Amino acid sequence: MVLSLLNSTQLAIIKNTELLAFHQDATIGTPAAPFQATASAPTTSPPEYYSGTSSKGTHVFIINTSSSTAAKIFTLSSVPGLGTSGTWKVHDMWTGTDLSGTYAATANFSISVSAHDTVAYLLTKVS
């Protein structure tokens, strides 16, 4: 790949320090894997929900494979490793900012994802 051929948006994607930190985590080092977003969620191909663990916490990656914007929902307790109790802070890995508030393990998290786009979150336990 010739980096000089990439535009600023493409460069920002491949240089995102938070995504690189997950990918190159020397402590955990395992890839994200698909998970079932809610107890009644259909299975899609390719999967649209992935999670993985790093030394910073649990990461959730959502891919919208459709050709239109879609609401994507997952239950925090459905994310492998989070469990069924506790409260979680959600951090947007693309923007580098924390979302307001906290979320109980039993809560549903919903986000609108543009067509063929992705979201990436870091979840850390607060209590």
Side-chain angles (χ1 to χ4, degrees):
M1 173 188 320
V2 180
L3 294 179
S4 62
L5 297 177
L6 299 177
N7 65 38
S8 61
T9 301
Q10 293 165 326
L11 281 172
I13 291 169
I14 65 170
K15 292 169 62 176
N16 181 297
T17 57
E18 295 191 36
L19 294 174
L20 287 171
F22 169 77
H23 178 263
Q24 298 173 359
D25 190 294
T27 304
I28 307 290
T30 56
F35 75 95
Q36 186 173 359
T38 64
S40 61
T43 301
T44 59
S45 182
E48 294 186 315
Y49 297 85
Y50 292 80
S51 71
T53 305
S54 77
S55 56
K56 294 185 183 255
T58 301
H59 303 263
V60 171
F61 306 97
I62 304 170
I63 304 167
N64 180 3
T65 59
S66 74
S67 58
S68 60
T69 297
K72 298 296 179 183
I73 301 168
F74 68 91
T75 305
L76 271 70
S77 61
S78 294
V79 178
L82 291 191
T84 57
S85 64
T87 305
W88 302 86
K89 176 177 71 169
V90 179
H91 176 82
D92 186 324
M93 294 171 65
W94 284 121
T95 65
T97 59
D98 293 340
L99 302 185
S100 63
T102 57
Y103 298 84
T106 55
N108 285 335
F109 181 87
S110 178
I111 185 72
S112 179
V113 183
S114 297
H116 305 292
D117 204 357
T118 63
V119 294
Y121 297 111
L122 169 63
L123 284 66
T124 52
K125 194 168 190 173
V126 257
S127 66

